[in-house]
Amino acid sequence: MRPPSGAQAVRRALDLLHCFHDNGPDLSASDLARRLELPVSTAHRLARTLLAAGFLEQDFRTSRYRLGPSVTELGRLSYHQRGLHLAAPELTDLAERTGATADLALRSGPYAVIVAGGSVTPKVGLRRPLHSTALGKVLLAWPRPGDADLDALPPLHAFTERTIVERDALIRELARVREEGHALNDGESAQGVRTLAVPVLDRAGHARFALAVRATPDLIPDGRLPWFLERARTCARALEVLLLAPGERREET
């Protein structure tokens, strides 16, 4: 059988790479075939092609695959091109001042992807559903040109009894977020977690990133929400300057 060609092959290769998001660092060809709903032979050919290009590497003792050096290289390039290395000191300072975890995220399809901050660890997944997180609500409330609308989101999965699962309710919630200038996740994605998020806006008023502080309700009680919000907004304003897009930086100079 000839390997798939054209756009379908590209789509399948990208889907294969995405299999490593939440399924552990090492996957066999059978694991990949099961997740992609493809024949093992097709998954194996795709994996071998990505292996040759450096996007995967293989443990030759177990024949299992993991993400390769080309992914690391492109990730580091993107990290610096976006100026995210400049955000790290601001996020560290925010975390130290508040005692909470500080995270910075951008939108990727139906997810908020954490790209800097205290949650960027090997043991913590970096993707968060948009509808059930404060980061995601901010990215939905101040969408960038080209972002898909709510109708393009997959079914709104319930993670706790507090998760918003009806689109009309989500529309009302996003209107409230825009009016108040921040989003709150109070146990919607996990029990015992409270997250406050604000937008990091570009010059057109779109959310280039979302900034959040996350802790337990004991650390972020209702009475201290304004205190946390003030500090998150101060950090967001600093990041709006530090994380200017390349074209905006050229205009500044």
Side-chain angles (χ1 to χ4, degrees):
M1 181 186 298
R2 298 181 63 183
S5 61
Q8 184 185 43
V10 173
R11 178 73 261 176
R12 285 179 172 177
L14 294 174
D15 287 343
L16 188 149
L17 292 174
H18 281 294
C19 286
F20 292 87
H21 268 297
D22 306 308
N23 294 301
D26 298 283
L27 297 174
S28 68
S30 296
D31 294 331
L32 295 169
R34 184 168 56 254
R35 286 165 173 80
L36 296 170
E37 299 182 347
L38 291 173
V40 174
S41 59
T42 302
H44 180 72
R45 282 198 300 273
L46 288 169
R48 298 299 296 180
T49 299
L50 291 168
L51 178 68
F55 286 92
L56 293 180
E57 61 184 17
Q58 188 176 37
D59 184 331
F60 290 100
R61 294 179 298 106
T62 65
S63 297
R64 297 175 74 86
Y65 296 95
R66 64 174 66 92
L67 294 176
S70 292
V71 176
T72 303
E73 179 185 7
L74 291 176
R76 295 302 297 175
L77 284 171
S78 176
Y79 184 84
H80 284 274
Q81 287 171 354
R82 293 178 182 274
L84 293 171
H85 58 294
L86 303 174
E90 297 293 334
L91 297 175
T92 299
D93 182 67
L94 178 61
E96 290 176 349
R97 287 176 180 270
T98 62
T101 299
D103 289 321
L104 191 69
L106 51 73
R107 181 173 177 179
S108 177
Y111 298 102
V113 178
I114 298 174
V115 292
S119 291
V120 181
T121 68
K123 295 183 179 180
V124 179
L126 304 183
R127 298 195 302 175
R128 300 288 189 273
L130 293 173
H131 73 284
S132 64
T133 59
L135 289 166
K137 291 177 189 176
V138 162
L139 294 169
L140 287 171
W142 287 274
R144 303 195 70 187
D147 284 346
D149 59 22
L150 293 183
D151 291 336
L153 293 181
L156 307 183
H157 177 71
F159 297 95
T160 74
E161 70 278 2
R162 296 188 175 186
T163 307
I164 296 174
V165 294
E166 296 179 357
R167 291 180 191 272
D168 288 345
L170 181 58
I171 290 171
R172 292 192 296 272
E173 173 70 0
L174 295 180
R176 185 199 63 76
V177 168
R178 284 189 292 270
E179 180 179 355
E180 297 184 0
H182 70 274
L184 182 66
N185 168 10
D186 197 0
E188 296 171 46
S189 56
Q191 298 286 355
V193 176
R194 176 172 270 193
T195 307
L196 182 70
V198 296
V200 178
L201 299 171
D202 61 21
R203 288 181 171 176
H206 308 295
R208 177 176 289 127
F209 300 96
L211 169 69
V213 288
R214 175 175 53 83
T216 64
D218 290 339
L219 182 63
I220 311 179
D222 291 345
R224 296 197 73 201
L225 281 174
W227 185 88
F228 278 90
L229 183 58
E230 178 185 354
R231 279 146 187 81
R233 283 176 171 162
T234 298
C235 183
R237 287 192 292 269
L239 293 176
E240 286 172 0
V241 176
L242 287 172
L243 301 179
L244 286 172
E248 292 174 326
R249 294 191 198 112
R250 287 193 292 270
E251 290 173 11
E252 288 286 310
T253 59

